[in-house]
Amino acid sequence: MKILNAEQILAADAYTISSESISSIDLMERAAIACVNWVTEHFTKEMNFVVVCGMGNNGGDGLAICRLLYNKGYSTQAYIVPHFSKTSEDFSVNRQRLEEIPGMNCKEVKEPEDIKLDSKKPTVIIDAILGTG
């Protein structure tokens, strides 16, 4: 496996977007689907998933993962760490998609105690706060 640095990841994303004529939001959805496919192969629906999201594209990935897991019948909750004054466009699209699902919403995290874990179920925490690509 080759490990890419931040500059290489950004270049790979830009290349994929231009060479495959795919939008950034659709590329994000593709990545989220791949992640969810891996998760569903390795974890049962007995698990609880907490997705902690930043406000950029990594957060948008996390929101998409949360939505897709929920749609597959997994127990999920999205939390947003409001560390910027504005969000990326793809983050906003995925937040809207998630919040259009009845009963789903995003909770803000200001203090660590704001994240509520279900002590009766094992929990997987997905970190989608910061990153590149």
Side-chain angles (χ1 to χ4, degrees), residues 5 9-10 32 38 45 57 62 64 66 69 99 108 113 121:
N5 64 32
I9 291 171
L10 291 172
W38 185 91
K45 293 179 182 173
N57 281 354
C66 187
L69 283 172
E99 291 184 340
E108 278 199 7
E113 309 78 52
K121 291 175 80 173

Side-chain angles (χ1 to χ4, degrees), residues 38-47 49 69 74 123-124:
W38 185 91
V39 167
T40 59
E41 289 174 11
H42 292 85
F43 296 97
T44 68
K45 293 179 182 173
E46 311 307 312
M47 304 293 290
F49 285 83
L69 283 172
Y74 285 77
T123 300
V124 174

Side-chain angles (χ1 to χ4, degrees), residues 2 20-21 28 33 35 45-46 63 84 96-97 108 110 112 119-120 131:
K2 182 172 181 165
E20 293 189 22
S21 297
M28 185 178 285
I33 289 168
C35 180
K45 293 179 182 173
E46 311 307 312
L63 294 173
F84 293 127
Q96 181 178 352
R97 287 177 178 174
E108 278 199 7
K110 294 193 175 154
S119 62
K120 297 176 185 144

Side-chain angles (χ1 to χ4, degrees), residues 55-118:
M55 298 169 66
N57 281 354
N58 262 36
D61 287 324
L63 294 173
I65 290 166
C66 187
R67 172 178 44 82
L68 293 168
L69 283 172
Y70 181 83
N71 286 340
K72 288 186 173 281
Y74 285 77
S75 172
T76 63
Q77 177 59 59
Y79 289 92
I80 297 172
V81 179
H83 55 84
F84 293 127
S85 59
K86 74 180 225 180
T87 65
S88 74
E89 184 177 328
D90 291 345
F91 172 93
S92 297
V93 168
N94 274 320
R95 183 174 188 167
Q96 181 178 352
R97 287 177 178 174
L98 180 70
E99 291 184 340
E100 286 174 353
I101 299 171
M104 288 299 297
N105 60 25
C106 302
K107 298 179 180 176
E108 278 199 7
V109 176
K110 294 193 175 154
E111 301 293 331
E113 309 78 52
D114 294 340
I115 297 175
K116 306 294 184 210
L117 301 178
D118 182 350

Side-chain angles (χ1 to χ4, degrees), residues 12-33 90 97:
D13 279 354
Y15 174 80
T16 302
I17 289 168
S18 67
S19 69
E20 293 189 22
S21 297
I22 188 171
S23 68
S24 176
I25 190 70
D26 290 336
L27 183 59
M28 185 178 285
E29 189 77 4
R30 182 191 294 177
I33 289 168
D90 291 345
R97 287 177 178 174

